[in-house]
Amino acid sequence: MWSVTHNDIEAIAIGAGILGTGGGGSPYLGQLRMQYLLKKGYSVNIISLDELADDARTCEVGWIGAPTVGIEKIWDGREPKWAVEALERYIGHPIDALLCSEIGGGNSIAPLEAGALTGKPVVDGDAMGRAFPEMQMSTHFIDGAPCNPSAMVDEKGNAIILDHLVDSFALEHFARPLCVQMGCVGMLALPLMSGAQVKKSSVRGTLTLAKQVGEAVLRARRTKEPMMEAVLSVTDGVELFAGKLTDVQRRTADGFARGEMTCEGLGTYRGETLRIAFQNENLVAWKNDTVVACVPDLICLLETETGEPITTEQLRYGLRVTILAIPCTDKFRTEAALKIVGPAAFGYPDVTYNPLPKQAGIGIE
Amino acid sequence: MRIGIDVGGTNTDAVLMDGRNVVGWAKSPTTKDVSSGITNVLTDLLKKTQAKPQDIAAVMLGTTHFTNAVVERKSLSKTAVVRIGLPATSALPPYIDWPEDLTAALGGIYYLVHGGYEFDGRPIAALNEDEIKGVASQIREQGIDCVAISSVFSPVNPDQEKRAAEIIAAEIPGVKISLSHEIGRIGLLERENAAAMNACLSHLAVKIVQSFRDALAGLGISAPFYISQNDGTLMSAEFVEKYPVLTFASGPTNSMRGAAFLSGLKDAVVVDIGGTTSDVGVLSQGFPREASVAVRIGGVRTNFRMPDVLSFGLGGGSHVKTEPLQVGPQSVGYEITTRALVFGGNDLTTTDIAVAAGMVEIGDKSRVAHLDKELVNHALTRMWEMIEISVDRMKTQAGGVPVILVGGGIILVGDSLNGVSELHRPEHASVANAIGAAIAQVGGEVDRIFSLDTTPRDKALEQAKEEAKGRVLSSGALPDTVEIVDVEEVPLAYLPGNATRIRVKAVGTLAVD
């Protein structure tokens, strides 16, 4: 068990940005909110999966909505707590520990805020080990976690319970318009899981990993040691490429920002080209027309000089970037999971997923 | 005739212009009080050009005064921030992401009250007028007379900000109020930050405007004067008293506008090479491209319109170290006339390299005759590479782009650069910034979210354009000259009702003479 500090939050926000693989939203406001809670005297403890009792009740806490609204209508701050409490009232039992749904991007911090405000510990893990655009792309749901019941709240204190929904598609169907009525920012608490289920389904240690990645970046900035080596040493990833963005094509399709970018090599990569297709997150990378990485493995763009993660909205001609590939969780590498998170699920049926080699003990479990 | 002045960190530049002609120019060191530097340079300019004070129809001034006040935390007024947004927004109160010393300089006082709007214009809560009256009396009792008001989604609907301003103005005699929707864009914290910075400069703005007025009067110039904004348009002296924050980063903007004017190009990359640093910006339709990400000023994130500028450490006074070869970022700065080798000093600078290479004749070239030819060539290549990389980072597409060189340091550049299709060195390039200030245009902008389900797209665009034009006219433009220079539509992800953010900008020529 460890207690989160002000500096941990800064590191987690940077690490979560990198693990967001171009999507997941900015963790910046979350970082500010959580650091403000710590300043006001709140604290939150992170426990490992092993410290969780098999019969413990847990739930994920995370927000849904439009990022453009999120930067304007700032939260009351108590929404994560209200969501958990609404669910507790409905089931008539206290929830013992909280979970992160998506370590990549903005939702890495919401469970920490919930933990600080409720006094409940947060489990060191999540349901993706990265960021993904849709709810079903989760190790919890792939393992059959229930989508009933769930609670959704807004900043005014409105709380709504969803129950008896036929499946996760119905959940998406009902939650979206509710979120709009809430002013396009809503906080969700779901799914309810036992400690035993969590131990089986969660990606272990990803809060710690995000912190280590962020600390590596911060240390490299301070000591001027090679930035990418520092990141790779904790993620078990490989450097795919370094160069300059020379082309970015975008289109909006089905509410998602899709597109493709081209990067021309610099330094040892001079004369080579890397292409990446994205849909909010980076999906497939081709080096000189050969696939070198694809989902569910992580394709991360970092600004070469600063190590700052680059989101797909920030892509523009001339950016100097280094592209890393990081092996994803083994839980996404099964045949069943690949149907939901593999290249075909994102519209690339011709791309074959060749898992990046990984070694035990470092990186994403 | 009119005069353009640019008060930079090192020099104050002035030009006298008659229509499109540059009649003459002068340069003088910037002084601590700014206004005596202006008096010096104008005295010199009038003497050189033999112009009479009564011939001057208008004076246009670009100044770094307000930026410096924030950066140095000097002459800032205690400011209360009133945010209208409860029950939303309490997770992050005003001043949350400010450096502590700057918060302290402003007093760090804030109030959250009920109200604000949703993205579609529904109220989050009704405005509670008694609550605001109560806040106003607390502000008055603390002796604070600068107030910034922000409200959630005020760019969509400014009514609550305006109403709150009326209530506060009635409670606090002489209060200076800054409204966030008049300054910033969507993004509550950044917009509120800009409004608070504007508010804390309120008293300084009145003082500075008066000192400029006095400086001009002292020289017998009774013409009206205008201040440059960071989008390349002008504001009246009365306007700058209300919106000093809009002068931030007007220096690079003036250089770019001057470069466009001198070269006749409307779409190009501008490289302004000074004594210590160079700024690279992009002209689009004759105006600087705006930064799309939050810009930090004095350590505070803001999101109001600012030119997109990339600065790097190359200037005419940059140190050149030989083993290993390194150019800048250290510079001898304004001491170049004593410290550079060609001026009898002991520091090897980029100017010495240019003289040694025979690109320019400045100072005593025999003092650099001993420099190794290979070293000179390597240093030149390095300097040009620094420019090439920065130009490449700023351009938005592959292929060569036209580049306009301005500023005193353009002597460092040879006949061509990689990635550049044409290299322009317009006449009077060393005072492009003052010329940019003298270009008499005024502007107006609208930035709002429209629901295209309730308002058809054509109608929404028309409405936004008319409003922007109306703003230009009310700033004193000649009606025939008003045109729309920029229209941007951004469909908002995840929002229903076909919500689209529309941003329209119009400009017109100021009625001078």
Side-chain angles (χ1 to χ4, degrees), chain A residues 54-223:
Chain A
D54 281 350
D55 61 353
R57 283 191 191 81
T58 73
C59 74
E60 291 176 12
V61 185
W63 78 285
I64 65 165
T68 327
V69 173
I71 60 166
E72 177 66 31
K73 189 175 73 169
I74 289 169
W75 302 358
D76 170 276
R78 290 170 292 178
E79 294 89 336
K81 170 174 177 250
W82 291 339
V84 174
E85 286 173 351
L87 198 55
E88 287 179 324
R89 273 197 305 278
Y90 182 70
I91 62 172
H93 292 287
I95 285 166
D96 304 305
L98 305 173
L99 292 168
C100 176
S101 55
E102 179 180 37
I103 191 67
N107 261 334
S108 52
I109 314 268
L112 301 180
E113 293 171 76
L117 291 163
T118 59
K120 300 181 196 301
V122 176
V123 178
D124 190 356
D126 77 315
M128 295 186 185
R130 50 168 296 152
F132 266 137
E134 294 175 51
M135 274 185 184
Q136 74 274 14
M137 298 172 171
S138 136
T139 57
H140 295 162
F141 285 122
I142 288 171
D143 266 0
C147 63
N148 290 307
S150 64
M152 188 167 158
V153 304
D154 68 12
E155 81 287 350
K156 300 172 189 74
N158 294 309
I160 288 168
I161 296 289
L162 296 164
D163 201 358
H164 308 295
L165 298 178
V166 292
D167 56 22
S168 63
F169 294 97
L171 175 66
E172 180 79 25
H173 193 75
F174 283 96
R176 269 311 146 185
L178 277 174
C179 174
V180 170
Q181 287 311 309
M182 290 177 163
C184 270
V185 182
M187 184 66 62
L188 274 169
L190 93 161
L192 268 173
M193 292 165 68
S194 70
Q197 275 174 298
V198 173
K199 287 178 191 175
K200 175 171 162 275
S201 303
S202 290
V203 186
R204 175 186 295 261
T206 46
L207 269 169
T208 299
L209 179 66
K211 178 163 97 84
Q212 288 170 339
V213 172
E215 282 168 351
V217 169
L218 289 168
R219 191 179 56 242
R221 279 186 201 161
R222 223 173 29 243
T223 61

Side-chain angles (χ1 to χ4, degrees), chain A residues 28-29 32-33 36 65-69 71-77 155-156 176 180-184 244 246 255-256 280 303 305 316-318 320, chain B residues 87-93 96-97 110 118-119 122 124 151-153 186-189 191 296 301 308 392-393 395-398 492-496:
Chain A
Y28 180 69
L29 289 181
L32 286 184
R33 283 193 307 268
Y36 185 49
T68 327
V69 173
I71 60 166
E72 177 66 31
K73 189 175 73 169
I74 289 169
W75 302 358
D76 170 276
E155 81 287 350
K156 300 172 189 74
R176 269 311 146 185
V180 170
Q181 287 311 309
M182 290 177 163
C184 270
K244 162 183 114 161
T246 52
F256 292 110
N280 295 8
E303 202 183 1
E305 211 171 298
R316 70 170 205 198
Y317 178 93
R320 261 52 178 181
Chain B
T89 81
S90 49
L92 295 172
I96 185 80
D97 54 351
Y110 65 84
E118 302 283 4
F119 67 95
R122 281 179 290 158
I124 293 173
S151 153
V152 177
F153 277 111
I186 287 171
L188 178 67
L189 287 184
R191 185 175 72 249
R296 277 187 192 270
R301 281 162 64 100
D308 190 7
D392 194 52
R393 289 175 78 142
K395 67 187 187 189
T396 48
Q397 57 201 35
L492 300 183
Y494 306 109
L495 285 187

